[in-house]
Short mmCIF file of all heavy atoms in Angstrom, two decimals:
data_model
loop_
_atom_site.label_atom_id
_atom_site.label_comp_id
_atom_site.label_asym_id
_atom_site.label_seq_id
_atom_site.Cartn_x
_atom_site.Cartn_y
_atom_site.Cartn_z
N LYS A 16 5.74 11.11 6.92
CA LYS A 16 5.55 12.54 6.62
C LYS A 16 4.35 12.72 5.70
O LYS A 16 4.33 12.19 4.58
CB LYS A 16 6.81 13.10 5.96
CG LYS A 16 6.73 14.60 5.71
CD LYS A 16 7.97 15.11 5.00
CE LYS A 16 7.86 16.61 4.73
NZ LYS A 16 8.99 17.10 3.91
N LEU A 17 3.35 13.46 6.17
CA LEU A 17 2.13 13.68 5.40
C LEU A 17 1.97 15.16 5.10
O LEU A 17 2.05 16.00 5.99
CB LEU A 17 0.91 13.18 6.19
CG LEU A 17 -0.45 13.36 5.53
CD1 LEU A 17 -0.59 12.49 4.28
CD2 LEU A 17 -1.58 13.03 6.50
N GLU A 18 1.74 15.46 3.81
CA GLU A 18 1.46 16.84 3.40
C GLU A 18 0.16 16.85 2.61
O GLU A 18 -0.22 15.85 2.00
CB GLU A 18 2.59 17.38 2.52
CG GLU A 18 3.94 17.41 3.21
CD GLU A 18 5.07 17.68 2.20
OE1 GLU A 18 5.22 18.84 1.81
OE2 GLU A 18 5.74 16.70 1.81
N GLY A 19 -0.51 17.99 2.59
CA GLY A 19 -1.77 18.10 1.86
C GLY A 19 -2.96 17.79 2.77
O GLY A 19 -2.81 17.64 3.99
N GLU A 20 -4.14 17.68 2.15
CA GLU A 20 -5.37 17.51 2.94
C GLU A 20 -6.20 16.33 2.46
O GLU A 20 -6.25 16.04 1.27
CB GLU A 20 -6.25 18.77 2.81
CG GLU A 20 -5.77 19.97 3.56
CD GLU A 20 -6.69 21.17 3.33
OE1 GLU A 20 -7.91 20.96 3.14
OE2 GLU A 20 -6.18 22.29 3.32
N THR A 21 -6.90 15.68 3.40
CA THR A 21 -7.89 14.66 3.08
C THR A 21 -9.15 14.97 3.87
O THR A 21 -9.09 15.13 5.10
CB THR A 21 -7.41 13.25 3.46
OG1 THR A 21 -6.12 13.02 2.90
CG2 THR A 21 -8.38 12.19 2.94
N THR A 22 -10.28 15.04 3.17
CA THR A 22 -11.57 15.26 3.82
C THR A 22 -12.47 14.08 3.50
O THR A 22 -12.61 13.71 2.33
CB THR A 22 -12.24 16.56 3.32
OG1 THR A 22 -11.31 17.63 3.48
CG2 THR A 22 -13.51 16.87 4.10
N VAL A 23 -13.06 13.48 4.53
CA VAL A 23 -13.98 12.34 4.34
C VAL A 23 -15.26 12.63 5.12
O VAL A 23 -15.21 12.86 6.33
CB VAL A 23 -13.34 11.03 4.83
CG1 VAL A 23 -14.33 9.88 4.71
CG2 VAL A 23 -12.08 10.70 4.04
N ALA A 24 -16.39 12.63 4.41
CA ALA A 24 -17.69 12.92 5.03
C ALA A 24 -17.61 14.19 5.88
O ALA A 24 -18.06 14.23 7.03
CB ALA A 24 -18.16 11.73 5.85
N GLU A 25 -16.97 15.21 5.31
CA GLU A 25 -16.82 16.54 5.92
C GLU A 25 -15.90 16.54 7.15
O GLU A 25 -15.87 17.50 7.91
CB GLU A 25 -18.18 17.15 6.27
CG GLU A 25 -19.06 17.33 5.02
CD GLU A 25 -20.41 17.97 5.33
OE1 GLU A 25 -20.67 18.26 6.52
OE2 GLU A 25 -21.19 18.16 4.39
N ASN A 26 -15.15 15.46 7.35
CA ASN A 26 -14.18 15.40 8.45
C ASN A 26 -12.77 15.55 7.90
O ASN A 26 -12.40 14.85 6.96
CB ASN A 26 -14.26 14.05 9.18
CG ASN A 26 -15.57 13.87 9.92
OD1 ASN A 26 -15.75 14.39 11.01
ND2 ASN A 26 -16.49 13.13 9.32
N ASN A 27 -11.99 16.45 8.52
CA ASN A 27 -10.57 16.56 8.18
C ASN A 27 -9.86 15.38 8.84
O ASN A 27 -9.85 15.25 10.07
CB ASN A 27 -10.02 17.89 8.71
CG ASN A 27 -8.57 18.09 8.33
OD1 ASN A 27 -7.76 17.17 8.41
ND2 ASN A 27 -8.23 19.30 7.91
N VAL A 28 -9.30 14.47 8.01
CA VAL A 28 -8.75 13.21 8.52
C VAL A 28 -7.60 13.45 9.52
O VAL A 28 -7.49 12.74 10.52
CB VAL A 28 -8.29 12.30 7.36
CG1 VAL A 28 -7.50 11.10 7.86
CG2 VAL A 28 -9.51 11.81 6.58
N LYS A 29 -6.79 14.46 9.28
CA LYS A 29 -5.67 14.75 10.19
C LYS A 29 -6.17 15.07 11.60
O LYS A 29 -5.54 14.72 12.59
CB LYS A 29 -4.87 15.96 9.67
CG LYS A 29 -3.74 15.62 8.73
CD LYS A 29 -2.98 16.90 8.42
CE LYS A 29 -2.03 16.72 7.25
NZ LYS A 29 -1.44 18.00 6.81
N GLU A 30 -7.32 15.75 11.66
CA GLU A 30 -7.80 16.26 12.95
C GLU A 30 -8.86 15.36 13.59
O GLU A 30 -9.33 15.64 14.69
CB GLU A 30 -8.39 17.66 12.75
CG GLU A 30 -7.35 18.67 12.29
CD GLU A 30 -7.97 19.97 11.78
OE1 GLU A 30 -9.20 20.09 11.87
OE2 GLU A 30 -7.22 20.83 11.32
N THR A 31 -9.25 14.28 12.91
CA THR A 31 -10.34 13.43 13.40
C THR A 31 -9.79 12.08 13.85
O THR A 31 -9.11 11.40 13.08
CB THR A 31 -11.40 13.20 12.28
OG1 THR A 31 -11.77 14.46 11.74
CG2 THR A 31 -12.63 12.49 12.83
N PRO A 32 -10.08 11.67 15.10
CA PRO A 32 -9.55 10.37 15.56
C PRO A 32 -10.14 9.20 14.77
O PRO A 32 -11.25 9.30 14.23
CB PRO A 32 -9.97 10.32 17.04
CG PRO A 32 -11.02 11.37 17.21
CD PRO A 32 -10.83 12.38 16.14
N THR A 33 -9.43 8.09 14.74
CA THR A 33 -9.85 6.95 13.91
C THR A 33 -11.19 6.37 14.37
O THR A 33 -11.97 5.92 13.54
CB THR A 33 -8.79 5.83 13.92
OG1 THR A 33 -8.39 5.59 15.26
CG2 THR A 33 -7.59 6.20 13.09
N TYR A 34 -11.48 6.39 15.68
CA TYR A 34 -12.76 5.83 16.14
C TYR A 34 -13.94 6.65 15.60
O TYR A 34 -15.02 6.13 15.36
CB TYR A 34 -12.82 5.70 17.66
CG TYR A 34 -12.79 7.02 18.43
CD1 TYR A 34 -13.96 7.78 18.59
CD2 TYR A 34 -11.62 7.50 18.99
CE1 TYR A 34 -13.93 8.98 19.29
CE2 TYR A 34 -11.58 8.69 19.68
CZ TYR A 34 -12.74 9.43 19.83
OH TYR A 34 -12.71 10.63 20.50
N GLU A 35 -13.71 7.95 15.39
CA GLU A 35 -14.76 8.81 14.83
C GLU A 35 -14.89 8.55 13.33
O GLU A 35 -16.00 8.46 12.79
CB GLU A 35 -14.40 10.28 15.10
CG GLU A 35 -15.53 11.27 14.81
CD GLU A 35 -16.75 11.05 15.69
OE1 GLU A 35 -16.61 10.78 16.89
OE2 GLU A 35 -17.86 11.14 15.12
N LEU A 36 -13.76 8.41 12.64
CA LEU A 36 -13.78 8.11 11.20
C LEU A 36 -14.43 6.76 10.92
O LEU A 36 -15.06 6.57 9.89
CB LEU A 36 -12.36 8.13 10.63
CG LEU A 36 -11.71 9.52 10.51
CD1 LEU A 36 -10.22 9.38 10.24
CD2 LEU A 36 -12.37 10.34 9.42
N ALA A 37 -14.29 5.81 11.87
CA ALA A 37 -14.87 4.46 11.70
C ALA A 37 -16.39 4.50 11.58
O ALA A 37 -17.00 3.56 11.06
CB ALA A 37 -14.45 3.56 12.85
N LYS A 38 -17.02 5.56 12.05
CA LYS A 38 -18.48 5.70 11.91
C LYS A 38 -18.87 6.03 10.47
O LYS A 38 -20.01 5.82 10.06
CB LYS A 38 -19.00 6.82 12.84
CG LYS A 38 -18.80 6.52 14.31
CD LYS A 38 -19.21 7.71 15.15
CE LYS A 38 -18.90 7.47 16.63
NZ LYS A 38 -19.20 8.67 17.45
N HIS A 39 -17.91 6.53 9.71
CA HIS A 39 -18.18 6.97 8.32
C HIS A 39 -17.55 6.05 7.27
O HIS A 39 -18.06 5.94 6.16
CB HIS A 39 -17.65 8.39 8.11
CG HIS A 39 -18.20 9.39 9.06
ND1 HIS A 39 -19.45 9.94 8.92
CD2 HIS A 39 -17.67 9.92 10.20
CE1 HIS A 39 -19.68 10.77 9.93
NE2 HIS A 39 -18.61 10.78 10.71
N VAL A 40 -16.42 5.43 7.64
CA VAL A 40 -15.64 4.65 6.65
C VAL A 40 -15.38 3.25 7.17
O VAL A 40 -14.86 3.08 8.28
CB VAL A 40 -14.27 5.33 6.37
CG1 VAL A 40 -13.52 4.56 5.30
CG2 VAL A 40 -14.46 6.76 5.94
N GLY A 41 -15.73 2.25 6.37
CA GLY A 41 -15.40 0.86 6.68
C GLY A 41 -14.32 0.37 5.74
O GLY A 41 -14.31 0.74 4.57
N PHE A 42 -13.41 -0.47 6.25
CA PHE A 42 -12.27 -0.93 5.45
C PHE A 42 -12.25 -2.46 5.43
O PHE A 42 -12.23 -3.09 6.49
CB PHE A 42 -10.96 -0.40 6.06
CG PHE A 42 -9.80 -0.33 5.12
CD1 PHE A 42 -9.31 0.89 4.69
CD2 PHE A 42 -9.19 -1.48 4.65
CE1 PHE A 42 -8.21 0.96 3.83
CE2 PHE A 42 -8.11 -1.42 3.79
CZ PHE A 42 -7.63 -0.20 3.37
N VAL A 43 -12.28 -3.05 4.23
CA VAL A 43 -12.17 -4.50 4.09
C VAL A 43 -10.79 -4.80 3.54
O VAL A 43 -10.44 -4.35 2.45
CB VAL A 43 -13.26 -5.06 3.15
CG1 VAL A 43 -13.09 -6.57 2.96
CG2 VAL A 43 -14.66 -4.75 3.69
N PHE A 44 -10.01 -5.56 4.29
CA PHE A 44 -8.61 -5.80 3.93
C PHE A 44 -8.48 -6.90 2.88
O PHE A 44 -9.41 -7.66 2.61
CB PHE A 44 -7.80 -6.16 5.18
CG PHE A 44 -7.67 -5.02 6.14
CD1 PHE A 44 -8.62 -4.84 7.14
CD2 PHE A 44 -6.62 -4.13 6.05
CE1 PHE A 44 -8.52 -3.78 8.03
CE2 PHE A 44 -6.51 -3.06 6.93
CZ PHE A 44 -7.46 -2.89 7.93
N GLN A 45 -7.28 -6.98 2.31
CA GLN A 45 -6.99 -7.94 1.25
C GLN A 45 -7.18 -9.37 1.74
O GLN A 45 -7.77 -10.20 1.05
CB GLN A 45 -5.54 -7.71 0.78
CG GLN A 45 -5.17 -8.48 -0.46
CD GLN A 45 -3.77 -8.10 -0.91
OE1 GLN A 45 -2.81 -8.21 -0.16
NE2 GLN A 45 -3.64 -7.65 -2.13
N ASN A 46 -6.68 -9.66 2.93
CA ASN A 46 -6.80 -11.00 3.50
C ASN A 46 -7.82 -10.97 4.64
O ASN A 46 -7.55 -10.37 5.69
CB ASN A 46 -5.44 -11.47 4.02
CG ASN A 46 -5.48 -12.91 4.50
OD1 ASN A 46 -6.55 -13.48 4.68
ND2 ASN A 46 -4.32 -13.48 4.72
N PRO A 47 -9.00 -11.60 4.47
CA PRO A 47 -10.03 -11.51 5.50
C PRO A 47 -9.59 -12.05 6.85
O PRO A 47 -10.08 -11.61 7.89
CB PRO A 47 -11.18 -12.36 4.93
CG PRO A 47 -10.58 -13.22 3.88
CD PRO A 47 -9.41 -12.46 3.34
N GLU A 48 -8.62 -12.98 6.85
CA GLU A 48 -8.15 -13.54 8.13
C GLU A 48 -7.54 -12.46 9.04
O GLU A 48 -7.48 -12.62 10.25
CB GLU A 48 -7.14 -14.66 7.88
CG GLU A 48 -7.78 -15.91 7.31
CD GLU A 48 -6.78 -17.05 7.13
OE1 GLU A 48 -5.57 -16.79 7.27
OE2 GLU A 48 -7.22 -18.17 6.84
N ASN A 49 -7.10 -11.35 8.41
CA ASN A 49 -6.50 -10.27 9.20
C ASN A 49 -7.53 -9.53 10.05
O ASN A 49 -7.16 -8.80 10.96
CB ASN A 49 -5.80 -9.25 8.29
CG ASN A 49 -4.53 -9.83 7.68
OD1 ASN A 49 -4.06 -10.86 8.13
ND2 ASN A 49 -4.01 -9.19 6.66
N GLN A 50 -8.82 -9.66 9.73
CA GLN A 50 -9.81 -8.94 10.53
C GLN A 50 -10.87 -9.85 11.15
O GLN A 50 -11.86 -9.38 11.67
CB GLN A 50 -10.46 -7.81 9.72
CG GLN A 50 -11.23 -8.21 8.49
CD GLN A 50 -11.58 -7.00 7.63
OE1 GLN A 50 -11.03 -6.85 6.56
NE2 GLN A 50 -12.50 -6.16 8.06
N LEU A 51 -10.64 -11.16 11.10
CA LEU A 51 -11.56 -12.11 11.74
C LEU A 51 -10.83 -12.83 12.87
O LEU A 51 -9.77 -13.40 12.65
CB LEU A 51 -12.08 -13.13 10.71
CG LEU A 51 -12.78 -12.56 9.48
CD1 LEU A 51 -13.18 -13.69 8.54
CD2 LEU A 51 -13.99 -11.73 9.86
N PHE A 52 -11.40 -12.81 14.06
CA PHE A 52 -10.68 -13.41 15.20
C PHE A 52 -11.62 -13.99 16.26
O PHE A 52 -11.18 -14.68 17.16
CB PHE A 52 -9.79 -12.34 15.86
CG PHE A 52 -10.53 -11.08 16.19
CD1 PHE A 52 -11.26 -10.99 17.35
CD2 PHE A 52 -10.54 -10.02 15.31
CE1 PHE A 52 -11.98 -9.84 17.64
CE2 PHE A 52 -11.25 -8.86 15.58
CZ PHE A 52 -11.97 -8.77 16.76
N ALA A 53 -12.93 -13.73 16.17
CA ALA A 53 -13.86 -14.19 17.20
C ALA A 53 -14.15 -15.68 17.02
O ALA A 53 -13.75 -16.31 16.05
CB ALA A 53 -15.15 -13.38 17.14
N LEU A 54 -14.89 -16.24 17.99
CA LEU A 54 -15.18 -17.68 17.98
C LEU A 54 -16.36 -18.03 17.07
O LEU A 54 -16.56 -19.19 16.75
CB LEU A 54 -15.47 -18.17 19.41
CG LEU A 54 -14.28 -18.06 20.38
CD1 LEU A 54 -14.70 -18.47 21.78
CD2 LEU A 54 -13.12 -18.92 19.91
N SER A 55 -17.15 -17.03 16.70
CA SER A 55 -18.26 -17.29 15.78
C SER A 55 -18.40 -16.12 14.82
O SER A 55 -17.95 -15.01 15.09
CB SER A 55 -19.57 -17.50 16.53
OG SER A 55 -20.04 -16.26 17.04
N VAL A 56 -19.06 -16.39 13.68
CA VAL A 56 -19.28 -15.37 12.65
C VAL A 56 -20.05 -14.19 13.23
O VAL A 56 -19.67 -13.03 13.05
CB VAL A 56 -20.03 -15.99 11.46
CG1 VAL A 56 -20.61 -14.91 10.55
CG2 VAL A 56 -19.10 -16.92 10.66
N GLU A 57 -21.15 -14.46 13.95
CA GLU A 57 -21.96 -13.33 14.43
C GLU A 57 -21.22 -12.48 15.47
O GLU A 57 -21.41 -11.27 15.54
CB GLU A 57 -23.33 -13.79 14.92
CG GLU A 57 -23.37 -14.63 16.14
CD GLU A 57 -24.80 -15.00 16.54
OE1 GLU A 57 -25.75 -14.55 15.87
OE2 GLU A 57 -24.95 -15.75 17.52
N LYS A 58 -20.33 -13.12 16.25
CA LYS A 58 -19.54 -12.33 17.22
C LYS A 58 -18.56 -11.42 16.50
O LYS A 58 -18.30 -10.29 16.93
CB LYS A 58 -18.81 -13.26 18.19
CG LYS A 58 -19.74 -13.82 19.26
CD LYS A 58 -19.03 -14.74 20.22
CE LYS A 58 -20.02 -15.25 21.28
NZ LYS A 58 -19.47 -16.33 22.08
N ASP A 59 -17.99 -11.91 15.38
CA ASP A 59 -17.10 -11.07 14.58
C ASP A 59 -17.85 -9.87 14.01
O ASP A 59 -17.35 -8.75 14.01
CB ASP A 59 -16.48 -11.89 13.43
CG ASP A 59 -14.99 -12.08 13.62
OD1 ASP A 59 -14.33 -11.12 14.05
OD2 ASP A 59 -14.48 -13.17 13.34
N VAL A 60 -19.06 -10.13 13.51
CA VAL A 60 -19.86 -9.06 12.89
C VAL A 60 -20.29 -8.04 13.95
O VAL A 60 -20.40 -6.85 13.67
CB VAL A 60 -21.08 -9.65 12.14
CG1 VAL A 60 -21.98 -8.57 11.59
CG2 VAL A 60 -20.60 -10.56 11.00
#
């Protein structure tokens, strides 16, 4: 249950799909292994 508003780079987060928000916001997780899965570093990047 979410109440209230969040605006990021002039986008209303509730109304903006995540693929669109990804152009404005990058997220680095606590454990890097959670976001690395390719066979080489450059493919991951």
